[in-house]
Amino acid sequence: MNPYGQVESTLREILDVIKPLQDDWVTRFKIIDELRGTVQSIESLRGATVEPFGSFVSNLFTRWGDLDISVEVSNGLCLSSAGKKQKQTILAELHRALRQKGGYIKTQFIPNARVPILKTVSKWQNISCDVSIDNLQGQIKSKFLFWLNDIDGRFRDMVLLVKEWAKANGINNPKSGSFNSYSLTLLVIFHFQTCVPPIFPPLNDIYPTNVVDDLTGTKVDAERRIAQVCSSNIARFRSCRTINRSSLSELFISFIAKFSDINLRAAELGICPFTGQWENIANNMRWLPRTYAIFIEDPFEQPENSARAVSKKQLIKIAEAFETTRRMLISANLTRNTLLPVLVGSQKFRFFVNHSTGYTSNDGGRYPNPHAQSYRAVQPVPPLQIRQQRQPQFKKSRPSTSQMQQHQAPKLEPRHHF
């Protein structure tokens, strides 16, 4: 098998394992419903709503992905966010209620974080859940990423593969000074904007201004305005684009190669998905003074740096991971057993067929596989089928923003046509 063919088949096998199954969707809905019940049991939170966001809503989560949830105290009627002190008070009260109710393996309240947060680990599949208050920005960003899936389905595959690769190489942990998952997603967007021909346009061609600045008035009206602009511009781009026919393996290999010298480029250039270009930091007044090891601008909340947690020391490690993987991917005699330890974490090995006695990880350890066959017991179910089980049916194939607002569960169909 040629190198691209071996990489392609291995990437496809990884996707088969990490993409969520029916039980994974159902379990997350169960966690959301339980949290909703707890919130409604608190007198001071009567009328508040519980809204998921993040990778679950954007359909960019793996079977082991976390849940992000926003408790909206405004009930969606007016886009006014609670102050930090009020958020701390609400989360402290919710923390007490969750501990009294039980059903959580672990709960941790972090009041002094940049955004106050309540972290829990559910008894259901040990899924981690981050709860915040009035996280309107997170919700609209999640929906925007979901809309990008409509342009090209390879986006979802690439995000899942890149996040899995980053975890396997120890560069997907902002607590240790490396990338968070959102930054990795923005890198994939930037890669799709800068490959030839481009798969994505500059995001300012989809929405010309700062999205979070337009979260004014009522939530229903704001979401409708933003969705209409994005829908029209995405349709325009799709009607006149030149189709990029690169295989998944070609896109993944070129992604790794593009950022293999990221530590050197970051000294002078920032990554700007809003314009779809590398931007000179010295010429960009929004990014000055330069205080970060690397700048990956949040295209929906400019000029915020999504990679602000990355340290200079970890940036070197990040570049080494890219370069080491690049060398491996272009080497001769690639095999499935040499690829898997680099592309997935050792804790996932048990889900793959083991054609030898074991896999050797990057640290030299061997991990035997006790299973004789790969994980195929349950086939993935399209999100639409889950939605049909949990949500009222809409008359149109694509519900309006106002219709979405009337129901608590997120809209999760993976493919629509604007």
Side-chain angles (χ1 to χ4, degrees):
M1 185 179 292
N2 65 67
Y4 277 107
Q6 183 63 71
V7 175
E8 185 79 21
S9 63
T10 305
L11 293 177
R12 295 292 178 187
E13 184 180 3
I14 292 171
L15 287 172
D16 283 345
V17 169
I18 67 177
K19 282 184 175 180
L21 310 175
Q22 176 178 355
D23 284 350
D24 301 313
W25 287 93
V26 171
T27 297
R28 282 162 177 77
F29 278 120
K30 186 182 300 183
I31 294 171
I32 294 168
D33 286 344
E34 287 189 350
L35 183 60
R36 183 173 292 124
T38 302
V39 168
Q40 292 174 349
S41 71
I42 300 174
E43 183 65 33
S44 62
L45 292 179
R46 294 289 172 83
T49 60
V50 173
E51 303 290 345
F53 66 99
S55 60
F56 180 63
V57 169
S58 58
N59 198 22
L60 298 174
F61 75 104
T62 68
R63 294 189 59 215
W64 301 275
D66 298 345
L67 258 180
D68 294 297
I69 292 179
S70 173
V71 176
E72 296 186 30
V73 297
S74 62
N75 199 22
L77 298 178
C78 181
L79 287 170
S80 58
S81 179
K84 187 169 184 177
K85 187 68 176 177
Q86 184 183 2
K87 292 179 180 180
Q88 292 170 333
T89 301
I90 294 171
L91 287 176
E93 192 170 3
L94 180 58
H95 186 211
R96 288 192 294 270
L98 290 176
R99 295 182 67 178
Q100 290 174 359
K101 180 179 181 180
Y104 293 89
I105 298 172
K106 179 181 178 182
T107 61
Q108 182 184 12
F109 177 36
I110 309 177
N112 296 319
R114 183 171 176 264
V115 175
I117 197 168
L118 174 60
K119 303 179 80 69
T120 70
V121 178
S122 172
K123 63 182 179 182
W124 304 110
Q125 295 184 5
N126 294 339
I127 293 175
S128 297
C129 182
D130 291 348
V131 183
S132 53
I133 305 296
D134 285 341
N135 202 325
L136 307 173
Q137 293 88 347
Q139 292 179 59
I140 197 63
K141 292 176 188 180
S142 305
K143 292 177 181 178
F144 203 112
L145 295 176
F146 179 78
W147 297 332
L148 288 180
N149 279 312
D150 274 336
I151 298 178
D152 196 296
R154 290 172 295 181
F155 173 58
R156 181 194 183 209
D157 289 345
M158 276 289 293
V159 170
L160 298 185
L161 290 168
V162 166
K163 289 197 294 188
E164 189 62 37
W165 164 80
K167 290 174 184 175
N169 288 270
I171 58 171
N172 184 201
N173 185 0
K175 291 182 180 179
S176 66
S178 58
F179 286 136
N180 57 34
S181 293
Y182 184 52
S183 294
L184 292 168
T185 301
L186 294 180
L187 286 183
V188 175
I189 291 175
F190 188 74
H191 178 51
F192 275 37
Q193 293 170 328
T194 52
C195 57
V196 181
I199 300 173
F200 284 170
L203 294 190
N204 60 10
D205 284 354
I206 297 179
Y207 199 83
T209 60
N210 225 10
V211 173
V212 298
D213 291 342
D214 291 338
L215 291 174
T216 58
T218 67
K219 181 180 179 183
V220 173
D221 290 340
E223 287 185 345
R224 182 186 295 113
R225 291 194 304 268
I226 294 170
Q228 288 174 344
V229 172
C230 292
S231 174
S232 175
N233 288 330
I234 288 175
R236 184 179 299 111
F237 172 74
R238 292 181 62 172
S239 67
C240 62
R241 62 178 169 172
T242 301
I243 301 296
N244 182 308
R245 303 192 182 281
S246 299
S247 66
L248 189 60
S249 57
E250 290 170 334
L251 287 173
F252 186 82
I253 291 172
S254 59
F255 171 86
I256 296 296
K258 181 172 294 180
F259 299 111
S260 60
D261 61 348
I262 194 170
N263 59 326
L264 301 179
R265 289 200 181 201
E268 297 181 356
L269 301 174
I271 294 169
C272 186
F274 188 68
T275 63
Q277 297 178 346
W278 295 93
E279 298 278 354
N280 192 302
I281 296 174
N283 296 337
N284 193 326
M285 297 303 296
R286 297 177 306 175
W287 295 351
L288 295 176
R290 185 182 183 282
T291 57
Y292 299 109
I294 182 173
F295 212 106
I296 305 176
E297 187 178 55
D298 187 334
F300 313 115
E301 195 173 0
Q302 307 154 51
E304 289 295 319
N305 180 12
S306 68
R308 59 184 171 271
V310 176
S311 67
K312 291 183 178 180
K313 180 179 179 180
Q314 285 297 310
L315 183 58
I316 295 174
K317 179 181 177 181
I318 289 169
E320 289 174 348
F322 273 102
E323 177 59 15
T324 300
T325 304
R326 184 192 70 83
R327 290 176 180 271
M328 185 271 295
L329 291 173
I330 63 174
S331 64
N333 301 320
L334 273 180
T335 67
R336 176 179 175 279
N337 281 8
T338 58
L339 283 167
L340 281 175
V342 178
L343 301 180
V344 299
S346 58
Q347 71 276 15
K348 309 281 176 56
F349 285 176
R350 65 190 179 91
F351 293 105
F352 295 88
V353 175
N354 190 355
H355 295 312
S356 62
T357 57
Y359 296 119
T360 303
S361 72
N362 293 333
D363 60 8
R366 291 185 68 78
Y367 299 86
N369 185 357
H371 298 280
Q373 59 184 14
S374 58
Y375 192 84
R376 294 292 186 274
V378 183
Q379 290 299 313
V381 173
L384 176 59
Q385 296 183 28
I386 303 298
R387 184 182 68 83
Q388 290 172 337
Q389 295 173 22
R390 296 304 307 264
Q391 290 181 265
Q393 294 298 298
F394 298 106
K395 293 181 179 180
K396 299 180 180 179
S397 60
R398 181 178 178 83
S400 67
T401 306
S402 59
Q403 286 175 316
M404 290 163 51
Q405 179 63 26
Q406 294 170 5
H407 305 285
Q408 300 299 327
K411 175 180 67 64
L412 293 168
E413 305 96 307
R415 297 290 295 163
H416 296 297
H417 297 286
F418 289 86

